[in-house]
């Protein structure tokens, strides 16, 4: 009888590339791009720190494929105008410990603040609700020609990522960004070949995948981050998600990271989950178990893992192949090394509140406290878990400058 899989075990992809362990650093927004949308020294410092922390795979924060459509003020963009030497310095730093470093490629669609994008685009002219319409403008529906052009931009970004030294790419198909918008019947109300039935709604993500594959070849890892569901009425459901997973598997996708939610319903940003998920630590574990019965594509589940024991239990179940970690790595970059060295290792997320609801809303502590820790590592400073919410608020206002009081994300 074979031994259960653990976080220390290697993993070999079908292209023969071997990953040293089962830790998968999930994408987090760094907001460290330079004014020309290239990476700089801060991103080099940050990813060198995470590389030394021991994870087998690092995934970048979302890299935009179109500089006219940004999700946040300081996004990095990868296109024909980019400085590939700056990207090569970034990838060299991010692989200093011999790990994989994948570029997450993204287009925000309607999830772009109004002060950044005067005319956002989406599958259909459906704006954000739940109060977000004040900061996010109603998008214009894309034409068929524009859709094809965006598919080509994803392919170009993937080709350039490969040239720049990334060891793989991940399509951001979750959290309500453009790929996710095409999949959602709530946002995608088209009546042409890009919308309507699920088969037509998934045409965009399959087109993006196939264009990327044609650009990078058969042996370069192409992955996707996909919602298990949108968690909103009329949105993308688990049943539909499973059908998309099957279609992507049939098309040849190399890896799937499971998440969930959108800006309107940010399930991915919650610090609690269903009772069963909290006991098992993984928020999307039940969905992963269902997917495992459908496909053999390597899976990562991100959200909820806090202990080496919980991670090993999840891997031993056979439902997933990688442990996705995000927020804990913002203040404990050595988490993989520590968990690998100590079977009893565990980490807790801090409770973040100034005690003033209005300030908490402006400061978006569920995002910016962690981003402040990321900025510290970008300055070659150690994270500061004791950073107070009030200090975090002050630093957020200082670092965001003229955007400080503007709504950037959910």
């Amino acid at each position: 009888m074979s031994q259960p899989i653990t976080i220390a075990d290697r993993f070999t992809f079908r292209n023969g590339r071997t990953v040293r362990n089962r830790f998968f650093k999930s994408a987090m927004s760094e907001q460290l791009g330079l004014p020309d949308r290239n990476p700089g020294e801060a991103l080099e410092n940050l990813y060198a720190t995470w590389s030394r922390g021991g994870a087998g795979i690092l995934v970048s924060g979302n890299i935009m494929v179109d500089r006219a459509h940004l999700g946040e003020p300081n996004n990095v963009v990868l296109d024909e105008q980019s400085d590939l030497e700056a990207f090569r310095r970034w990838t060299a730093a991010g692989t200093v410990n011999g790990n994989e470093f994948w570029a997450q490629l993204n287009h925000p669609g309607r999830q772009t603040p109004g002060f950044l994008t005067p005319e956002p685009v989406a599958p259909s002219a459906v704006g954000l609700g739940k109060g977000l319409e004040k900061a996010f403008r109603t998008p214009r529906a894309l034409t068929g020609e524009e859709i094809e052009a965006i598919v080509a931009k994803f392919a170009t970004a993937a080709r350039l990522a490969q040239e720049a030294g990334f060891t793989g790419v991940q399509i951001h198909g979750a959290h309500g960004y453009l790929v996710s918008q095409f999949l959602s019947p709530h946002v995608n109300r088209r009546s042409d070949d890009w919308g309507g039935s699920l088969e037509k709604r998934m045409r965009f993500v399959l087109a993006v995948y196939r264009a990327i594959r044609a650009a990078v070849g058969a042996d370069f890892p192409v992955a996707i981050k996909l919602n298990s569901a949108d968690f909103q009425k009329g949105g993308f459901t688990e049943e539909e998600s499973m059908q998309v997973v099957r279609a992507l598997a049939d098309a040849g996708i190399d890896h799937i990271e499971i998440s969930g939610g959108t800006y309107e319903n940010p399930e991915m940003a919650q610090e609690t989950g269903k009772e069963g998920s909290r006991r098992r630590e993984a928020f999307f574990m039940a969905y992963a178990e269902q997917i495992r019965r459908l496909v053999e594509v390597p899976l990562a589940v991100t959200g909820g893992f806090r202990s080496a024991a919980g991670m090993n239990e999840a891997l031993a179940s056979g439902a997933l192949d990688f442990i996705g970690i995000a927020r804990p790595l913002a203040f404990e970059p050595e988490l993989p090394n520590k968990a690998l060295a100590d079977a009893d290792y565990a980490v807790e997320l801090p409770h973040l509140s100034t005690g003033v609801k209005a300030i908490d809303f402006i400061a978006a502590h569920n995002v910016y406290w962690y981003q402040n820790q990321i900025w510290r590592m970008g300055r070659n400073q150690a994270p500061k878990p004791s950073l107070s919410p009030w200090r975090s608020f002050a630093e957020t206002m200082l670092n965001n400058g003229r955007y400080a009081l503007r709504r950037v994300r959910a």
Side-chain angles (χ1 to χ4, degrees):
M1 185 176 177
S2 60
Q3 293 293 316
I5 297 170
T6 72
I7 52 177
D9 287 324
R10 293 176 176 268
F11 183 90
T12 301
F13 284 97
R14 63 180 179 179
N15 63 5
R17 189 171 310 202
T18 298
V19 182
R20 64 172 56 190
N21 59 48
R22 302 305 179 100
F23 280 102
F24 181 91
K25 180 262 163 193
S26 186
M28 288 182 280
S29 171
E30 309 105 352
Q31 284 266 53
L32 288 173
L34 298 177
D36 60 4
R37 306 300 174 198
N38 287 306
E41 186 177 359
L43 281 168
E44 295 169 32
N45 294 338
L46 174 63
Y47 278 83
T49 299
W50 274 330
S51 177
R52 290 189 293 267
I57 299 176
L58 303 180
V59 182
S60 75
N62 54 94
I63 297 171
M64 294 299 164
V65 302
D66 187 338
R67 63 185 58 234
H69 294 272
L70 305 177
E72 297 168 287
N74 298 311
N75 281 152
V76 169
V77 176
L78 186 51
D79 62 11
E80 296 287 8
Q81 299 179 49
S82 298
D83 179 358
L84 287 195
E85 286 305 312
F87 278 86
R88 290 187 181 103
R89 290 191 292 271
W90 184 19
T91 59
T95 55
V96 69
N97 199 27
N99 53 279
E100 299 290 303
F101 185 16
W102 296 354
Q104 186 189 73
L105 305 179
N106 192 14
H107 188 297
R110 67 179 189 156
Q111 286 188 171
T112 175
F115 66 86
L116 274 182
T117 309
E119 187 181 58
V121 294
S124 302
V126 179
L128 289 161
K130 296 195 172 181
L132 295 172
E133 62 272 12
K134 298 175 183 177
F136 297 84
R137 300 185 184 193
T138 300
R140 173 180 61 78
L142 288 158
T143 67
E145 293 78 9
E146 288 172 325
I147 293 171
E148 296 285 2
I150 291 172
V151 170
K153 287 180 184 293
F154 271 96
T156 296
R159 173 179 58 81
L160 294 172
Q162 185 179 36
E163 292 179 19
F166 287 101
T167 61
V169 294
Q170 184 192 63
I171 302 162
H172 199 336
H175 301 172
Y177 292 108
L178 187 62
V179 173
S180 177
Q181 290 163 33
F182 268 94
L183 291 170
S184 167
H186 171 66
V187 184
N188 185 350
R189 303 180 187 180
R190 303 177 72 94
S191 57
D192 61 4
D193 288 341
W194 297 101
S197 67
L198 176 60
E199 182 180 6
K200 290 182 177 180
R201 281 184 279 122
M202 74 168 78
R203 182 183 171 199
F204 182 72
V205 67
L206 289 170
V208 168
Y209 166 73
R210 288 171 179 143
I212 288 175
R213 178 60 73 199
V216 300
D219 294 332
F220 192 71
V222 181
I224 189 166
K225 185 170 193 168
L226 187 71
N227 271 3
S228 61
D230 290 349
F231 300 100
Q232 66 182 124
K233 185 177 181 180
F236 188 55
T237 67
E238 281 196 2
E239 292 74 18
E240 290 179 326
S241 181
M242 290 178 199
Q243 293 182 58
V244 174
V245 165
R246 191 182 296 234
L248 287 165
D250 290 344
I253 200 85
D254 292 303
H255 182 275
I256 297 172
E257 179 189 3
I258 297 165
S259 190
T262 68
Y263 274 21
E264 290 171 303
N265 287 274
E267 189 76 10
M268 67 286 190
Q270 304 304 314
E271 295 183 5
T272 60
K274 294 179 181 179
E275 180 61 30
S277 297
R278 288 198 299 270
R279 286 197 304 268
R280 302 170 69 187
E281 297 193 7
F283 293 167
F284 305 104
M285 190 68 175
Y287 174 85
E289 290 169 342
Q290 296 180 71
I291 290 298
R292 178 57 87 209
R293 291 192 286 267
L294 295 177
V295 301
E296 296 181 355
V297 177
L299 300 177
V301 172
T302 300
F305 288 113
R306 301 292 179 261
S307 70
M311 298 170 195
N312 284 324
E313 179 184 353
L315 288 168
S317 75
L320 67 158
D321 303 284
F322 290 92
I323 301 297
I325 302 289
R327 289 184 182 187
L329 287 172
F331 63 91
E332 184 45 274
E334 287 283 332
L335 185 153
N337 286 337
K338 290 183 176 181
L340 288 166
D342 181 3
D344 295 323
Y345 177 80
V347 64
E348 293 291 336
L349 296 188
H351 174 69
L352 303 171
S353 176
T354 62
V356 181
K357 288 184 178 180
I359 296 295
D360 288 351
F361 179 80
I362 293 170
H365 286 310
N366 64 337
V367 173
Y368 285 119
W369 186 90
Y370 295 94
Q371 201 157 70
N372 272 299
Q373 305 292 350
I374 286 171
W375 290 336
R376 288 181 63 85
M377 287 186 280
R379 298 191 295 266
N380 259 342
Q381 298 173 334
K384 190 175 182 180
S386 63
L387 181 68
S388 76
W390 278 107
R391 181 64 182 269
S392 174
F393 171 67
E395 293 193 9
T396 297
M397 297 299 103
L398 178 65
N399 285 321
N400 282 354
R402 62 194 175 103
Y403 303 118
L405 295 177
R406 299 197 180 195
R407 190 72 167 170
V408 174
R409 55 186 298 156

